[in-house]
């Protein structure tokens, strides 16, 4: 198993393996989580998580209106994909994310 930093910089991070039908394949389901008011759920592609660390994503979306949080996330990813914003990971890629915040 790789930790987050190793996975971000692994030389084979772009490879996809087809493991459908193997004996080792399984899907893990965790317990249901109840969302409290103002909890934010983030669903993102590798274009998000190959360019920003989880802690960075959390800081960008944890406060303020959701639309503004989404814009901050887009700006940060765009900078990283262009090789800017410091020495963090950067990988040009397509980017998809969905933000959901419970309001009540």
């Amino acid at each position: 198993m790789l930790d987050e930093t190793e996975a971000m910089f692994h030389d084979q991070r772009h490879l996809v393996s087809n493991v459908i039908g193997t004996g080792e394949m399984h899907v893990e389901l965790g317990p249901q989580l109840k969302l409290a008011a103002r909890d934010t759920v983030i669903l993102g592609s590798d274009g998000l998580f190959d360019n920003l660390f989880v802690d960075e994503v959390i800081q960008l979306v944890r406060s303020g209106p959701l639309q503004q949080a989404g814009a901050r996330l887009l700006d940060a990813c765009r900078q990283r994909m262009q090789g800017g914003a410091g020495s963090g990971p950067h990988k040009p890629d397509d980017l998809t994310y969905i933000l959901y915040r419970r309001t009540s």
Side-chain angles (χ1 to χ4, degrees):
M1 295 296 291
L2 302 174
D3 67 22
E4 181 181 15
T5 302
E6 291 170 321
M8 288 276 231
F9 296 101
H10 194 277
D11 61 343
Q12 293 183 5
R13 69 183 175 273
H14 63 286
L15 299 180
V16 177
S17 299
N18 183 0
V19 295
I20 294 176
T22 67
E24 296 84 29
M25 184 179 160
H26 65 280
V27 175
E28 291 186 37
L29 298 175
Q32 290 184 353
L33 299 174
K34 291 196 181 249
L35 298 177
R38 310 293 301 154
D39 277 354
T40 302
V41 177
I42 305 163
L43 176 65
S45 68
D46 63 339
L48 175 61
F49 295 105
D50 283 353
N51 286 288
L52 297 174
F53 291 108
V54 172
D55 289 344
E56 293 175 304
V57 173
I58 291 168
Q59 288 303 314
L60 289 165
V61 302
R62 68 187 309 244
S63 62
L66 198 57
Q67 188 170 359
Q68 290 177 8
R72 288 191 300 268
L73 201 58
L74 177 60
D75 289 342
C77 283
R78 188 176 285 151
Q79 286 179 2
R80 283 284 174 81
M81 286 184 191
Q82 294 171 353
S87 62
H90 57 279
K91 174 187 151 194
D93 199 355
D94 58 328
L95 172 65
T96 303
Y97 59 87
I98 297 171
L99 303 179
Y100 169 80
R101 183 174 292 151
R102 183 169 173 193
T103 57
S104 60

